[in-house]
Amino acid sequence: AQTVTQSQPEMSVQEAETVTLSCTYDTSESDYYLFWYKQPPSRQMILVIRQEAYKQQNATENRFSVNFQKAAKSFSLKISDSQLGDAAMYFCAYRSARNTDKLIFGTGTRLQVFP
Amino acid sequence: DGGITQSPKYLFRKEGQNVTLSCEQNLNHDAMYWYRQDPGQGLRLIYYSQIVNDFQKGDIAEGYSVSREKKESFPLTVTSAQKNPTAFYLCASSTSLTGSNQPQHFGDGTRLSIL
């Protein structure tokens, strides 16, 4: 069974600085998708970025980028130029391309942004 | 605007009572999901549905039931058999289950508490 591990329960960053959130996963599959979701205090889950496993190029979305290391089964999220509005819980999630009935989530990392 | 509407935002259950959480989407999505979120844990899948009149159990289906009579609606009933129902419940939808990298879109959630 696939698992997703986020080893950092909490992280903090100064406004305008860069922070990296870690995520590792375990799977025997070669084709899958990875996602980072943000959950602000409002509790709504918001997609931040996605990565297809067959793509070697790391995904980027404005200030958000990933470091996808397929062999190491690592999928970290880098937030550049951090803003106060980035403060939230961040969840890493895995989705099989073959059996795509569910997202498997990590336990989350709470990010605090200090002015 | 298209989206997912969950109601109510807060719900209280008495002992031995069944309660139903509503989830409606106007995104024309085929697939819908129910997740449970507990403190310190990621989201866990309760039930999901690919098409109308069909649904499948997720990882923690015991004590819950669902129906999918309309494409737009996927209500979740928390039965009296669910002994620890206090949690935050999130509904999600996506375009399809198979071979797609499309993310799941989430509602704002319902917080269920025991009286």
Side-chain angles (χ1 to χ4, degrees):
Chain A
Q2 296 89 4
T3 58
V4 177
T5 301
Q6 293 180 252
S7 59
Q8 306 156 316
E10 289 191 9
M11 291 284 285
S12 60
V13 64
Q14 205 85 25
E15 200 175 4
E17 297 294 310
T18 296
V19 64
T20 298
L21 308 184
S22 300
C23 173
T24 59
Y25 56 94
D26 188 26
T27 184
S28 59
E29 298 177 333
S30 60
D31 198 11
Y32 48 86
Y33 310 108
L34 297 165
F35 304 86
W36 277 99
Y37 279 90
K38 169 185 177 181
Q39 188 179 43
S42 65
R43 304 300 296 270
Q44 187 179 24
M45 296 287 282
I46 302 165
L47 177 69
V48 175
I49 199 165
R50 79 185 92 168
Q51 174 82 42
E52 293 85 353
Y54 62 83
K55 290 186 178 179
Q56 291 188 334
Q57 187 173 10
N58 289 325
T60 62
E61 287 287 342
N62 301 313
R63 297 183 296 107
F64 299 88
S65 61
V66 299
N67 183 5
F68 174 48
Q69 302 287 330
K70 191 172 184 179
K73 296 180 183 175
S74 172
F75 183 59
S76 60
L77 174 69
K78 186 171 83 171
I79 305 174
S80 304
D81 185 27
S82 297
Q83 301 175 359
L84 295 177
D86 294 334
M89 283 290 289
Y90 286 82
F91 291 96
C92 178
Y94 170 99
R95 183 178 185 180
S96 167
R98 178 169 53 84
N99 178 21
T100 57
D101 53 31
K102 54 182 155 182
L103 282 172
I104 300 169
F105 286 87
T107 53
T109 296
R110 180 173 300 282
L111 178 66
Q112 293 182 301
V113 181
F114 294 104
Chain B
D1 283 4
I4 300 174
T5 302
Q6 288 188 242
S7 61
K9 196 172 180 67
Y10 301 95
L11 188 58
F12 297 91
R13 195 191 90 168
K14 295 180 181 179
E15 293 287 341
Q17 185 181 44
N18 293 355
V19 291
T20 297
L21 285 61
S22 170
C23 178
E24 304 277 332
Q25 55 99 358
N26 60 5
L27 299 168
N28 199 33
H29 285 170
D30 293 309
M32 297 187 74
Y33 313 79
W34 272 106
Y35 291 92
R36 170 179 171 140
Q37 186 177 24
D38 293 283
Q41 297 191 40
L43 280 66
R44 293 182 292 167
L45 183 67
I46 305 172
Y47 267 98
Y48 64 98
S49 168
Q50 302 179 57
I51 56 174
V52 174
N53 293 324
D54 184 61
F55 47 83
Q56 306 295 328
K57 292 182 179 180
D59 297 320
I60 54 167
E62 186 174 348
Y64 300 96
S65 66
V66 293
S67 63
R68 186 88 187 273
E69 298 176 2
K70 298 186 299 182
K71 186 176 183 178
E72 310 79 41
S73 179
F74 191 42
L76 173 74
T77 296
V78 184
T79 74
S80 56
Q82 172 50 245
K83 298 307 178 188
N84 184 23
T86 297
F88 188 66
Y89 291 86
L90 281 160
C91 178
S93 70
S94 64
T95 53
S96 74
L97 285 180
T98 54
S100 170
N101 70 342
Q102 292 304 304
Q104 294 179 13
H105 299 261
F106 287 82
D108 290 342
T110 293
R111 174 162 294 284
L112 176 62
S113 302
I114 294 296
L115 283 178

